[in-house]
Amino acid sequence: MTFNTFLRHLREGAKNIFRNGWMSVASIVSIIVSLFILGVFILLVLNVNAIADKADKQVQIRAYLNLNVDQKLRETVQKEIAAMPEVSKIDFISKEQGLEDFRKSMGDEGKELLEGFDKDNNPLPDAFKIEVYEPTTVPFVSKKIEALNASHADQQPIMKVKYGKGTIETLFKVTRMVRNIGFIFVAGLAVMSMFLISNTIRVTILARRREIGIMKLVGATNTFIRWPFFVEGTLIGLIGSIITVAILFAGYSRLAATVGSDFTLQMSLLPVSDLWQWGGLLIVLGVLIGMWGTTLSIRKFLKV
Amino acid sequence: MIEMQDVWKTYPNGTHALQGVSVKIDRNEFVYVVGPSGAGKSTFMKLIYREEVPTKGQISVNGFNIGKLKQRKIPYVRRNIGVIFQDFRLLPKLTAYENVAFAMEVIETPKRQMKKRVMEVLDLVGLKAKANRQPAQLSGGEQQRIAIARAIVNNPSVIIADEPTGNLDPETSWGIMQLLDEINFRGTTIVMATHNKDIVNTMRKRVIAIEHGNIVRDQLRGEYGYDF
């Protein structure tokens, strides 16, 4: 193939999109619809994953100490907890620190509520903040910490161990389920959209079967016939996926802005800047679908 | 040029379209192929441009053994054969110019040369002024002229015309015939299947009559010989 012929194929492929008018529109729309649904699902799964990851990381154990615990005993207990193999980190939070943190987390609304509490009048106990390597070990580690009271039987240093019991167990179950179902769904949708698109392309090529026959009578080789179709399919995939990604990103960033500015929701979506590679993936997918669809559908008409 | 030796063609449905046809057509001949519908005329034509493969026998066109041709060699043989049909078979979305140019793009003709040659043949068929029209914007006769222009643009050694005037009124048909005669005069072999009695009897050429899959008559400057 000469370079001029190659340019000719590119030109013809691009022109064919306009020559085939509504057929091209139908193919592009079917790519948009499939990729859009796929994209929405990917965004959903990604966000659920992010929330689940965040929840996983936030799982901490708080061990509150009894008021009679002195510094020496406190350090012994801290060492004992830190020595547990499951524990990744332990921080001591004095009651002053605790009050300060509490104030911060309450924000402006909490200011009045917490007035009157200060250094000399602090209702909070001293505490340890404990993080573990594996969130699922939280209930087990909590029990082990509670059991420390037995080894210091006379002093009973631990007042209470807290970790959102129950809620954590259900959260794990739900996030695991959402993740699995989400991935199955995304995989299923990807396959489905491929079939939908290849079908549309097949219909458009069926309409052009006669044209392919004529080209062959004039002495065109299969490669010569195939190239413009291939270029056309690729361009249709590219156009369709770029439009889809543009719609998805525009919609998503508006949604993210709305959710992010609403304090009562206490959550935020993944920032758009984290999602570019997924947009790229959708475009690559669209192009591949376009190429694959044409190559597959044209093959059987070439045997004239 | 074109030579058939004891050629048989049986279709998968059991029709014996050709039964032992032998014929020789020389360079620069003009041949009418006549006969009733279903006698095997179309099969005869299709075998020449390798739309069909003979069940038995040998066909050679321009020195190629058509029956034994490899699938991927077919396009190269067809480039030396111009085909013209009753239903024109133009590419509907291309302009007249682009339709003719397509045949030259296929053989990768350099652009400047292509432009010159396409305009030359469009001029020859008298449609230079309508080069940018699409087939739908042209009359039947004009479409057939474009098809002829496409068939001759690469200077093929032979033109196969399957009822080229079948869809045209008598006056337009004569225009097409004059064009084909002119092309033949310039040195191209023409094999034309037809049902047009007037044309065959007026523009006298070699006539091959096919009936029931056999050649029943082969005359130089022959007559149509049927009453329909």
Side-chain angles (χ1 to χ4, degrees), chain A residues 1-2 5 8 11-12 15 19-20 208 210-211 214-221 224 303-304, chain B residues 49 51 75-76 78-79 83 85 87 89-94 98 102-103 105-106 108 111 150:
Chain A
M1 183 170 29
T2 64
T5 304
R8 180 256 172 205
R11 203 170 47 236
E12 288 298 302
K15 274 190 191 169
R19 287 186 185 131
N20 293 306
R208 289 155 74 179
R210 209 180 116 84
E211 289 177 45
I214 295 172
M215 292 175 188
K216 299 209 77 168
L217 282 179
V218 179
T221 57
F224 190 89
K303 293 178 194 140
V304 179
Chain B
Y49 60 87
E51 174 113 10
Y76 302 96
R78 285 188 182 158
R79 288 173 190 181
V83 283
F85 299 93
D87 56 357
R89 303 209 188 165
L90 297 172
L91 294 164
K93 282 156 199 148
L94 304 189
E98 288 167 335
F102 185 84
E105 285 172 350
V106 162
E108 308 200 19
K111 202 133 198 212
R150 181 181 64 187

Side-chain angles (χ1 to χ4, degrees), chain A residues 13 15-26 204 208 211 229 232, chain B residues 93:
Chain A
K15 274 190 191 169
N16 277 344
I17 294 178
F18 297 99
R19 287 186 185 131
N20 293 306
W22 287 109
M23 281 300 197
S24 307
V25 173
T204 69
R208 289 155 74 179
E211 289 177 45
F229 276 104
E232 188 184 345
Chain B
K93 282 156 199 148

Side-chain angles (χ1 to χ4, degrees), chain A residues 12-157:
Chain A
E12 288 298 302
K15 274 190 191 169
N16 277 344
I17 294 178
F18 297 99
R19 287 186 185 131
N20 293 306
W22 287 109
M23 281 300 197
S24 307
V25 173
S27 307
I28 291 174
V29 167
S30 92
I31 288 187
I32 292 177
V33 169
S34 321
L35 288 184
F36 182 78
I37 296 171
L38 188 65
V40 166
F41 250 86
I42 289 176
L43 287 175
L44 197 71
V45 169
L46 284 177
N47 274 292
V48 168
N49 260 344
I51 291 167
D53 276 350
K54 218 161 139 197
D56 274 3
K57 287 211 187 82
Q58 278 172 351
V59 176
Q60 301 167 344
I61 302 167
R62 289 231 174 202
Y64 297 100
L65 299 177
N66 273 320
L67 295 175
N68 60 346
V69 175
D70 60 14
Q71 193 175 352
K72 198 179 156 216
L73 180 58
R74 194 186 80 211
E75 278 165 5
T76 317
V77 171
Q78 183 164 3
K79 266 181 205 140
E80 282 169 349
I81 295 175
M84 295 176 185
E86 298 88 353
V87 172
S88 63
K89 198 175 162 202
I90 176 162
D91 284 320
F92 173 66
I93 296 168
S94 64
K95 50 175 127 183
E96 293 80 17
Q97 179 75 44
L99 186 63
E100 192 56 36
D101 289 352
F102 195 29
R103 257 205 191 101
K104 261 187 207 150
S105 74
M106 294 298 283
D108 290 340
E109 295 163 35
K111 241 177 192 159
E112 295 165 25
L113 240 114
L114 293 174
E115 237 165 69
F117 294 117
D118 55 28
K119 227 175 180 180
D120 305 317
N121 181 17
N122 188 341
L124 299 175
D126 286 334
F128 289 122
K129 188 171 83 181
I130 299 138
E131 287 173 22
V132 295
Y133 292 111
E134 184 51 54
T136 46
T137 60
V138 163
F140 173 66
V141 174
S142 303
K143 285 223 177 68
K144 266 167 88 172
I145 295 170
E146 272 169 5
L148 287 177
N149 274 340
S151 55
H152 304 278
D154 46 335
Q155 283 153 312
Q156 299 285 329

